[in-house]
Amino acid sequence: TGLTTGQRAVTVQKGPLYRVRGSHVTLWCKVSGYQGPAEQNFQWSIYLPSAPEREVQIVSTVDPSFPYAIYTQRVHSRGIFVERLQGDAVLLHITELQERDAGEYECHTPNTDERYFGSYSAKVNLSVIADTLSASMAPQALTLTEGDAVELTCEVSKSTAQHTHLSVGWYLLQGAGEHHAEEVLTLSKDFILKPGPSYEQRFLEGGVRLNKVGNTTYKLFVGGVKPSDQGQLYCEAAEWIEDPDETWKDISRKQTQRTSLAVVSQGRDLSVDIAAAESSLSEGDTLQLKCVLGAPKSSTRHFKVIWLLDSMEVAKVDPHGVLIWGEGYKERAKLGQLQAFKTSNTVYVLTICEVGLKDKGTYQCSVSEMKAPGDLHSIQTNVSSGIQVNVKPLESRMRLSVSTSTPRVTAGDPLILHCEVQGATGPVSVRWWHLPPQHPGHRVLVATMEQDGTLGLGSAYQGGQTRGSLRLEKESSGTFTLVIPSTLDEDDGGQYRCEATQWSRGRNWTEKGEAAVTVSSMALGLHATLRSRVPTVRYGQSFELVCQVNASYTLEEVPASVQWLFQPSPTSPSHELVRVSPRGTVVWATAQPHFQGKAQLAKADASFRLRIQSALPANDGTYQCEVEVWRRNILPPGQPAATTSSNVVRIKVVLPESKLQVATKDSSVEIASGNAAVECRIAFAQNNSQFAVTWYRLPLLADAAPLQVVRASYSSILEYGPEFSSPAQKSRFLSQRVSSNVFQLQILSADPGDEGRYYCVVEEWLWLVDGWYKLGEGTSGRTTLKFKRPDRELQMERTNHSISAREGEEVTLPCRLQGAHLPGTQLSATWFQVKSSGRDGALLTLRYDGTVQYPQQRLAGRLYLRRPSAGDFSLTLSSVERGDAGVYYCRLQEWQQQSEGKDRDLRGSARSGYTQLTAIPPESTVLSRICSSPSLLNFILYLPLVLILLLALAVFCWYYKFRK
């Protein structure tokens, strides 16, 4: 059962490991100290250098669905598999190592213990390096006589960056034993010469030697060749690297081309052997046959050689070396498809380029020795044994697999697709297509690579402005990799199809494969949250706003900009404060200049910060951040891929506390005539404050609304209320500061119309760095202004009147004094119009000195006092308008000056009756004239009756005349 009392421990091969591309690699993993069944399960994963934190599953001994899509095809085709050495130990096999296999491999054992105790996985780093080993030897066909010596040269080199050793060996292949080579002599990685079993004695005797000349040249010397040395000789080089566990591993092996060695026994006069470099061919391959003669003193003898295919003559070489082609081969020879020549007097070569099915069969070499070159009869003839050549019909052995290392990406991320072509025997062209899911059955050409490596791009992918510069590269392993640097949006997802076409002898074969990718929008999951730890700050304090951005991708890896917005009040629009571009450029807006120089900007991970130093009242308002992101690898300018706006955060800046105190005690002032003064006193305030004072008057009626008289700002600018804005009123009402804490409202030439309750509203203003700010305000007590009523009342006409006037006409409103005024007194008259607000509006004032004042300047050109007599103060209103309709009255006052230089005293007063003025619209039609004339209207109404009476009278007269 594998039960043990220790803790579980998983161990893997010690790393780091270096292996060459294209080699067969194994990694071992074992587990100990486990509980449960003796046969444990293993799962292999990799962490790629491009994403060291992301696990990519490769293969499992228990779960067939464990591999990710990038490895599924290789696992199913056993390009990657797990070999179980025993119940608790396995080997991971990668049959053909690829560059993308580099990374950190993790071996994990699922838990079978009663509790978790120990380690359940271990990791080893594997680096993929280029295969730089090369071994070469010029191919030869040697025929030696027994006892001769032979020397073969092998060139071996490497350029691996890591520390490695080389081993170089020579091997002999005899007969059909293609996979059973006999070792001749090897220089090991430890620089030790080791002969094969059959050559050990001859090595000790010095008959077999290996010499190294320079850095790359290795020479094999075999003296006194024997018939047992006959066969094909080749050189094999191996590159070795020492792993961290101090064991040596051969990471690459290379074999050279073969040299054919024939050894002629001294006891035979003429022997013939035939050999083929490859006897099993496919259509289009090249067939090379060698006919080797064994004859003593061959240089002085004369031979005729005939090549036979199924006993039919193919070619003939006479003793002079003249070549004659058989029937059916001449045309092919002219096209360069056939060659026949002799390299020496004992070696003859027949080459057939692009073999066809008709070239298969049994080939033989017939040699005849002639006494002299011109003789017709041979001395002897010998025919070689037959060699069977098979030619298979041309068919595609090409296999294709499509994968992607980026199955799920976000817009802007690159797409990397691999099209691995194996088994191709001719040139290959590749086409990549995109099959958009939103248009089923439609395909879009992405990129092409022709047989000669010429690249082409589909029309939608040209220019590189939207998706970057596409790349289509062919790796040495036969993998065509398509890289789209920057995906545009979700529409770039779907299936990508690779079509690989193999070309050979005018024919072609096409294989197809597809891989699916998903592209997510950058707007997906993009969200910004704005927060502040201190929503309320005091003047002069600092505050910080943090704009936290969340997204389904890593924000630091994409270009992003942030815009800070500020709204001073709910009724005003938002203004841009500052914008930080993806390149870090800071652009301040001009709408809120007081922020620049006081604000600090920062970015950390996925958050943007705005810090305001020494807060001012102008910083009071709502803030918001707006974040824009662009696709990766595509920098602005251009439209952002996604935008998000945060919530708004209200920052309240609290001003210094106002210390203002205004005297609130009520008082009263009573005058008979002349000027009046109302006082406003500040009980306490800060020394550096300035004050604005606004004076109000409340009519004596309790429910009347206050009227603004005049406002004096902290800079002493006066602003009068609507009812006090005429030049006459402005000249009478003045606001003055008589001391540091006392303000007065001066009322010059006061009259009873100025009666009321007066009070002031004081505003405290303070200069704070960038401007004046209102800290608070206080309201004073009421001061009641009253006039002493005169003992004498003037006699006036008090009859109420109702007058109608058409618009545009002139009308006179009556106001007459009845009786005479006292000697030595003067009269003043004021006309009023009754207002719904409760305060009657003064229209015109005739002062006792004869001057006329118009409180409402707009009426100055339409109001007249014609005074046909001394006591007539009737008002004439010209060009009556609809708005003139209303109730009017006048007030007369009698004044007397007691002595020179003294103010006049009010001796008497009276008010007229009320006059109701009605404004009639202008006449527009004849009918309206008729309807407005009572006499004409009455005539029209009685006209039918008159006509009836006249008709009756005429009938009566006619009847009376007829009776006579």
Side-chain angles (χ1 to χ4, degrees):
T1 62
L3 292 175
T4 179
T5 59
Q7 66 179 24
R8 177 183 288 256
V10 177
T11 54
V12 295
Q13 198 163 338
K14 190 175 181 181
L17 303 177
Y18 295 90
R19 298 293 186 264
V20 300
R21 184 176 59 242
S23 63
H24 187 135
V25 174
T26 60
L27 301 174
W28 61 260
C29 177
K30 60 184 178 181
V31 60
S32 61
Y34 56 89
Q35 298 178 352
E39 184 170 286
Q40 295 287 296
N41 286 309
F42 295 80
Q43 294 175 338
W44 286 89
S45 303
I46 187 173
Y47 296 83
L48 300 174
S50 59
E53 302 299 324
R54 186 177 67 184
E55 178 187 13
V56 180
Q57 299 174 177
I58 302 176
V59 65
S60 169
T61 60
V62 63
D63 183 8
S65 64
F66 183 77
Y68 279 10
I70 188 175
Y71 289 103
T72 301
Q73 179 64 31
R74 295 172 68 187
V75 171
H76 288 172
S77 63
R78 289 190 64 79
I80 298 176
F81 64 95
V82 177
E83 176 189 3
R84 187 179 290 278
L85 302 179
Q86 57 189 46
D88 53 8
V90 296
L91 273 180
L92 172 67
H93 288 261
I94 302 176
T95 60
E96 186 176 354
L97 189 65
Q98 302 176 11
E99 284 187 351
R100 56 178 171 149
D101 294 331
E104 189 176 42
Y105 285 77
E106 181 182 47
C107 175
H108 175 75
T109 59
N111 182 33
T112 59
D113 307 333
E114 294 180 356
R115 62 189 180 95
Y116 281 92
F117 185 47
S119 65
Y120 290 80
S121 66
K123 297 180 179 179
V124 58
N125 194 72
L126 174 64
S127 297
V128 180
I129 60 177
D131 187 359
T132 63
L133 178 65
S134 68
S136 63
M137 181 182 70
Q140 303 177 69
L142 302 177
T143 301
L144 301 178
T145 302
E146 187 176 2
D148 290 345
V150 64
E151 186 179 72
L152 301 177
T153 300
C154 182
E155 295 288 338
V156 179
S157 66
K158 67 179 181 69
S159 59
T160 308
Q162 287 71 28
H163 176 72
T164 58
H165 287 186
L166 289 177
S167 65
V168 179
W170 296 85
Y171 297 85
L172 174 64
L173 282 171
Q174 293 181 315
E178 194 72 14
H179 301 292
H180 296 84
E182 183 178 6
E183 184 181 12
V184 178
L185 184 60
T186 298
L187 177 63
S188 73
K189 67 179 184 302
D190 304 314
F191 313 107
I192 299 173
L193 286 171
K194 178 185 175 185
S198 301
Y199 291 88
E200 186 171 357
Q201 187 61 37
R202 294 166 69 183
F203 169 75
L204 296 175
E205 295 172 352
V208 176
R209 301 192 299 272
L210 193 154
N211 299 319
K212 182 179 181 183
V213 182
N215 292 326
T216 61
T217 303
Y218 299 79
K219 292 189 175 183
L220 173 69
F221 175 83
V222 180
V225 296
K226 300 178 180 180
S228 60
D229 297 328
Q230 186 170 264
Q232 298 184 71
L233 289 163
Y234 67 90
C235 170
E236 182 180 271
E239 186 175 8
W240 300 75
I241 191 168
E242 187 177 23
D243 286 341
D245 61 1
E246 299 184 353
T247 62
W248 287 85
K249 170 64 179 175
D250 54 329
I251 59 175
S252 179
R253 287 184 177 271
K254 295 291 174 65
Q255 291 184 3
T256 66
Q257 293 179 293
R258 299 168 184 175
T259 290
S260 176
L261 175 63
V263 180
V264 179
S265 175
Q266 294 180 352
R268 298 169 66 183
D269 188 48
L270 177 62
S271 65
V272 181
D273 286 312
I274 188 171
E278 183 66 51
S279 60
S280 181
L281 305 172
S282 297
E283 282 186 282
D285 292 344
T286 297
L287 171 63
Q288 186 178 71
L289 299 169
K290 287 185 180 180
C291 183
V292 182
L293 281 60
K297 301 178 181 180
S298 59
S299 60
T300 60
R301 300 167 71 175
H302 309 287
F303 303 104
K304 178 179 70 174
V305 176
I306 301 174
W307 291 96
L308 303 171
L309 171 58
D310 293 335
S311 301
M312 299 296 293
E313 184 176 314
V314 176
K316 178 171 60 176
V317 181
D318 67 10
H320 293 288
V322 177
L323 174 62
I324 301 172
W325 291 102
E327 292 297 327
Y329 292 93
K330 294 179 181 179
E331 290 299 322
R332 295 176 66 185
K334 291 179 181 180
L335 296 174
Q337 297 179 1
L338 302 177
Q339 291 179 341
F341 55 90
K342 69 175 184 177
T343 59
S344 67
N345 206 30
T346 58
V347 178
Y348 296 80
V349 178
L350 172 65
T351 302
I352 302 177
C353 301
E354 296 185 9
V355 297
L357 296 177
K358 58 186 177 182
D359 295 318
K360 68 179 180 179
T362 302
Y363 285 83
Q364 291 177 295
C365 178
S366 174
V367 180
S368 299
E369 183 178 1
M370 303 297 180
K371 187 175 182 179
D375 288 352
L376 299 176
H377 301 286
S378 62
I379 299 174
Q380 60 174 330
T381 298
N382 197 353
V383 180
S384 70
S385 59
I387 184 170
Q388 183 67 35
V389 174
N390 295 316
V391 180
K392 293 183 290 185
L394 185 64
E395 60 183 18
S396 174
R397 294 195 288 269
M398 181 175 67
R399 301 188 309 279
L400 181 146
S401 63
V402 181
S403 61
T404 176
S405 53
T406 54
R408 290 184 174 275
V409 298
T410 302
D413 290 344
L415 278 185
I416 303 176
L417 300 142
H418 308 283
C419 182
E420 185 176 2
V421 179
Q422 297 177 334
T425 57
V428 175
S429 64
V430 169
R431 288 179 178 266
W432 280 97
W433 301 88
H434 178 216
L435 312 179
Q438 63 272 22
H439 301 294
H442 180 64
R443 65 179 187 174
V444 179
L445 180 62
V446 180
T448 64
M449 178 179 286
E450 302 301 334
Q451 308 166 53
D452 59 358
T454 303
L455 297 178
L457 297 177
S459 58
Y461 295 84
Q462 295 177 0
Q465 297 299 317
T466 56
R467 296 179 177 87
S469 299
L470 270 69
R471 303 195 307 275
L472 178 54
E473 301 171 346
K474 180 183 179 182
E475 301 175 5
S476 58
S477 60
T479 298
F480 296 82
T481 299
L482 173 67
V483 179
I484 302 176
S486 180
T487 48
L488 193 58
D489 49 32
E490 302 98 314
D491 293 343
D492 279 352
Q495 297 285 337
Y496 283 82
R497 175 183 296 167
C498 173
E499 293 183 356
T501 303
Q502 176 186 342
W503 304 81
S504 180
R505 304 187 69 185
R507 298 169 61 186
N508 63 78
W509 295 264
T510 300
E511 295 289 336
K512 301 177 183 178
E514 296 179 3
V517 298
T518 301
V519 180
S520 301
S521 169
M522 295 193 73
L524 184 64
L526 183 64
H527 178 70
T529 302
L530 185 63
R531 66 180 188 276
S532 173
R533 293 183 179 179
V534 185
T536 301
V537 297
R538 294 190 176 276
Y539 163 78
Q541 289 184 335
S542 300
F543 64 92
E544 185 177 65
L545 296 162
V546 180
C547 181
Q548 183 69 41
V549 184
N550 296 317
S552 58
Y553 43 88
T554 305
L555 190 69
E556 298 89 323
E557 297 178 358
V558 301
S561 73
V562 62
Q563 178 186 17
W564 290 94
L565 304 174
F566 174 68
Q567 186 179 17
S569 66
T571 58
S572 63
S574 292
H575 301 286
E576 178 181 329
L577 288 182
V578 63
R579 178 185 293 269
V580 183
S581 72
R583 293 188 176 94
T585 304
V586 178
V587 179
W588 289 93
T590 58
Q592 301 288 333
H594 51 274
F595 279 91
Q596 190 171 0
K598 295 172 57 63
Q600 295 178 348
L601 300 167
K603 180 180 183 295
D605 299 330
S607 65
F608 300 89
R609 296 174 184 267
L610 174 66
R611 181 176 178 82
I612 305 297
Q613 304 281 359
S614 301
L616 297 174
N619 303 136
D620 190 296
T622 57
Y623 293 79
Q624 188 178 26
C625 67
E626 185 176 281
V627 178
E628 297 175 334
V629 294
W630 281 260
R631 293 182 292 125
R632 185 184 286 110
N633 304 323
I634 299 296
L635 290 177
Q639 292 297 320
T643 302
T644 183
S645 296
S646 73
N647 55 297
V648 297
V649 170
R650 171 80 162 90
I651 297 295
K652 181 174 179 59
V653 179
V654 180
L655 294 173
E657 185 178 356
S658 175
K659 305 294 185 181
L660 177 67
Q661 296 180 17
V662 180
T664 58
K665 184 177 180 180
D666 293 340
S667 61
S668 63
V669 175
E670 185 177 38
I671 62 173
S673 62
N675 302 331
V678 180
E679 188 175 271
C680 177
R681 182 178 299 274
I682 296 175
F684 181 81
Q686 301 182 75
N687 293 333
N688 54 349
S689 297
Q690 294 293 331
F691 305 100
V693 178
T694 305
W695 292 94
Y696 293 92
R697 184 175 77 183
L698 279 168
L700 294 178
L701 296 176
D703 58 349
L707 302 174
Q708 178 183 327
V709 180
V710 61
R711 182 180 189 274
S713 68
Y714 57 80
S715 56
S716 300
I717 297 175
L718 299 180
E719 179 185 347
Y720 285 86
E723 289 80 0
F724 298 86
S725 59
S726 68
Q729 296 287 68
K730 288 182 179 180
S731 65
R732 294 179 56 241
F733 290 88
L734 302 175
S735 177
Q736 295 180 340
R737 185 172 187 174
V738 296
S739 68
S740 61
N741 63 335
V742 176
F743 294 84
Q744 277 189 351
L745 176 65
Q746 296 286 341
I747 307 174
L748 305 181
S749 300
D751 60 37
D754 297 327
E755 286 185 333
R757 292 172 292 163
Y758 291 82
Y759 67 93
C760 71
V761 175
V762 181
E763 301 170 4
E764 182 180 16
W765 291 79
L766 189 65
W767 175 263
L768 299 176
V769 181
D770 63 339
W772 289 94
Y773 292 93
K774 179 181 174 181
L775 302 186
E777 64 178 36
T779 302
S780 70
R782 272 54 170 174
T783 298
T784 303
L785 176 63
K786 291 184 178 181
F787 266 77
K788 294 180 180 178
R789 298 300 177 188
D791 299 333
R792 168 178 160 78
E793 183 174 357
L794 299 179
Q795 297 298 315
M796 289 187 66
E797 180 181 328
R798 289 183 170 273
T799 305
N800 295 333
H801 300 274
S802 178
I803 300 176
S804 297
R806 296 194 181 278
E807 294 181 20
E809 294 181 353
E810 182 179 275
V811 68
T812 298
L813 308 179
C815 176
R816 298 180 183 88
L817 177 67
Q818 294 179 345
H821 56 89
L822 295 175
T825 61
Q826 291 82 32
L827 295 176
S828 68
T830 302
W831 273 95
F832 297 89
Q833 183 179 17
V834 178
K835 300 291 186 181
S836 59
S837 61
R839 182 184 186 279
D840 299 340
L843 304 177
L844 178 147
T845 298
L846 174 65
R847 293 175 58 81
Y848 48 73
D849 58 2
T851 60
V852 179
Q853 295 177 346
Y854 297 93
Q856 300 186 37
Q857 283 296 116
R858 61 184 181 83
L859 300 175
R862 297 173 52 215
L863 301 177
Y864 306 98
L865 289 179
R866 295 184 174 165
R867 300 198 65 188
S869 61
D872 193 340
F873 295 90
S874 298
L875 176 68
T876 299
L877 176 61
S878 66
S879 301
V880 172
E881 299 176 358
R882 182 178 302 179
D884 295 333
V887 177
Y888 296 81
Y889 67 92
C890 74
R891 177 187 291 122
L892 297 181
Q893 294 175 324
E894 186 180 42
W895 301 85
Q896 185 175 32
Q897 190 172 18
Q898 298 297 331
S899 60
E900 188 69 25
K902 297 291 185 178
D903 290 337
R904 286 177 171 81
D905 292 333
L906 182 63
R907 307 297 293 176
S909 176
R911 178 182 63 79
S912 72
Y914 293 102
T915 300
Q916 173 74 46
L917 174 62
T918 302
I920 301 174
E923 300 173 356
S924 58
T925 62
V926 174
L927 182 59
S928 64
R929 292 178 181 271
I930 294 174
C931 294
S932 62
S933 174
S935 58
L936 185 58
L937 182 61
N938 290 336
F939 173 76
I940 293 175
L941 291 175
Y942 287 105
L943 180 59
L945 182 59
V946 172
L947 293 176
I948 293 173
L949 291 174
L950 291 174
L951 180 59
L953 181 60
V955 171
F956 176 76
C957 293
W958 175 83
Y959 178 76
Y960 179 77
K961 184 179 179 180
F962 179 78
R963 288 290 301 267
K964 284 186 173 183

